Amino acid sequence: MTNAIGIPAGDQASADARRARNIDALRTYFRLLEEGDIDSWIELWAPDCTQAVPYATGELPKSLSGQPEIHTLYRNIAAGFSRLRYLLIEFQPLADPDVIFARWRPRCELVGGGVYVNESVGIFEFDTEGRIRHFTEYFNPAGFVENYETFSEEPR
């Protein structure tokens, strides 16, 4: 007998443990971003990870593939923040223990002056080892796109 997503009935404890592990990984994810520790943060991702950003426009990519690409983008973005804090972080587990819906509201003080605030939601998918294998991020594009050059150290 299996549950609604195909997990054998006797494996529910395993599913609960995976769900808890994945939520803990997301707590670490947001903590490391606040600390600006992108080198440790990227270790939460699987080597062959991907990210989709459907509302990306301008120079912000709509998709990323692999740790190096994701690491470079986030390192460049983080370099533009003198301080990052999350005003809200919420996690909603889904039926699949390896998929977590998250909602967060960053407040970023920009190196070049000013403050960037946004609201985002995303779906994080984890591999069997508890690393992020795919992340789809939906953010309010107003504000981010206009400020992207301000908080990216990539040459223009």
Side-chain angles (χ1 to χ4, degrees), residues 68-129:
E69 205 170 289
I70 291 170
H71 185 246
T72 297
L73 177 69
Y74 279 84
R75 185 188 65 233
N76 290 338
I77 290 172
F81 301 155
S82 58
R83 183 172 189 218
L84 166 62
R85 293 292 171 258
Y86 290 97
L87 307 175
L88 169 80
I89 302 173
E90 296 177 345
F91 304 117
Q92 296 297 322
L94 302 177
D96 182 334
D98 294 317
V99 180
I100 307 293
F101 176 86
R103 180 175 162 226
W104 61 98
R105 187 175 308 132
R107 182 184 188 282
C108 311
E109 295 174 18
L110 304 176
V111 170
V115 174
Y116 162 75
V117 179
N118 206 332
E119 187 161 354
S120 301
V121 298
I123 299 170
F124 291 84
E125 299 174 37
F126 292 85
D127 68 12
T128 57
E129 296 177 23

